Amino acid sequence: MMKLFAIFGDPVEHSRSPLMHNSVFKNLNYPACYTRVHLKDGSQLRQTFFNLALSGANITVPHKEAAFKACDEIRGFANKVGVVNTIVNENGRLIGYNTDADGFIYAIEEFKEIKKVLILGAGGTAKALAARFLEESYEVSVLNRSEGRLEFFKELGCNCFTWSDFKLQEYDLVVNTTSAGLKDEELPAPQEIIEQVLSSTRYVADAIYGKLTPFLKAAQKKGLSFKDGADMLLGQGVLANELFVKKRLSKEAIKTYMQKSFEL
């Protein structure tokens, strides 16, 4: 019987996830297909999931925290951060996981000797990365427009700043987790702050993929080593697909055919 998987997001039309997962299913003869679902209201995620009779789903911005609430059971790292980006349907119960954080660690393997990281933004992706970075014994700072969402990060033990009280330090890596630059030409913080930050780091990463965001353009101008979110997307996608197929396909084969989808 053919299984159906999907990605939920707003926006979602840019997502490469269908190409990646369908490449695996097709080339490894797994009876499944993967589509996009443009979801405006995160509170409708659970109902929409069942209405579509899905076997599993990925969740992208801005619904990762809503996805956590939609699940019947949370497993692994997602418990730590309250953020879910992968859901699997187990006999009518929704099981939530987070593959974002490990996907990102995979993506930055080539960045050497990371000790101090600055995260821009305080949403679901930021939560997952902050908690994972702390597991790696990095010193983590978080910069967000306003105070409202910083409590979680303070409790984790991060240095927290708003745009108005930001104190610059030297960083090894600065990561944009906001959606600034996804559909516009915005920067993730005021230009003055971005200029300072980029003058005080060795590496730069953006969770957005498929385009050179204004943030990455600014990093490029300064001659910094930078990455967009493509490797993070690949890393989390391989882990998510393993969950979807219940590890019936080899991880290496999944990775191979996901990488091939990037050549399309």
Side-chain angles (χ1 to χ4, degrees), residues 168 174 187 193-204 214-220 222 224:
L168 185 68
V174 178
L187 287 165
I193 291 179
I194 295 298
E195 284 292 322
Q196 290 177 340
V197 160
L198 292 178
S199 297
S200 308
T201 187
R202 295 188 296 132
Y203 302 118
V204 173
F215 178 59
L216 290 184
K217 283 178 190 164
Q220 187 180 43
K222 290 195 179 287
L224 293 167

Side-chain angles (χ1 to χ4, degrees), residues 55-259:
S55 294
N58 291 122
I59 294 86
T60 187
V61 290
H63 300 316
K64 294 180 185 184
E65 285 150 305
F68 182 90
K69 292 176 186 154
C71 290
D72 297 294
E73 182 185 337
I74 306 293
R75 291 185 190 156
F77 182 76
N79 270 309
K80 195 169 192 172
V81 290
V83 179
V84 159
N85 79 317
T86 302
I87 293 175
V88 176
N89 184 347
E90 278 189 13
N91 305 314
R93 296 178 74 245
L94 300 192
I95 314 299
Y97 300 87
N98 186 297
T99 67
D100 273 341
D102 283 340
F104 195 86
I105 294 297
Y106 162 81
I108 61 168
E109 274 175 355
E110 68 203 62
F111 291 166
K112 302 300 179 200
E113 293 182 25
I114 303 287
K115 292 188 177 71
K116 290 180 73 169
V117 181
L118 174 66
I119 297 173
L120 306 177
T125 304
K127 285 181 174 181
L129 294 188
R132 190 66 182 80
F133 288 158
L134 289 168
E135 286 184 354
E136 294 287 318
S137 300
Y138 300 164
E139 183 185 323
V140 181
S141 299
V142 179
L143 173 62
N144 194 46
R145 179 195 302 262
S146 58
E147 186 77 27
R149 307 190 75 173
L150 290 174
E151 200 52 46
F152 173 90
F153 298 92
K154 287 177 184 169
E155 287 175 16
L156 270 186
C158 302
N159 306 311
C160 295
F161 304 100
T162 64
W163 292 358
S164 58
D165 66 13
F166 180 57
K167 292 181 182 66
L168 185 68
Q169 302 172 41
E170 290 289 323
Y171 305 102
D172 299 307
L173 171 66
V174 178
V175 186
N176 172 38
T177 67
T178 77
S179 58
L182 177 58
K183 291 200 298 184
D184 52 41
E185 290 302 305
E186 296 292 314
L187 287 165
Q191 185 157 8
E192 179 190 344
I193 291 179
I194 295 298
E195 284 292 322
Q196 290 177 340
V197 160
L198 292 178
S199 297
S200 308
T201 187
R202 295 188 296 132
Y203 302 118
V204 173
D206 200 318
I208 294 169
Y209 61 89
K211 68 177 284 195
L212 200 61
T213 60
F215 178 59
L216 290 184
K217 283 178 190 164
Q220 187 180 43
K221 266 190 191 163
K222 290 195 179 287
L224 293 167
S225 294
F226 66 87
K227 302 194 89 162
D228 74 358
D231 283 351
M232 177 183 175
L233 178 73
L234 176 65
Q236 65 78 27
V238 170
L239 297 171
N241 196 281
E242 274 197 301
L243 292 168
F244 291 158
V245 302
K246 299 179 171 60
K247 301 206 171 177
R248 288 180 188 139
L249 303 175
S250 93
K251 191 174 196 168
E252 278 310 305
I254 293 171
K255 183 178 172 185
T256 297
Y257 288 111
M258 281 200 171
Q259 279 175 319

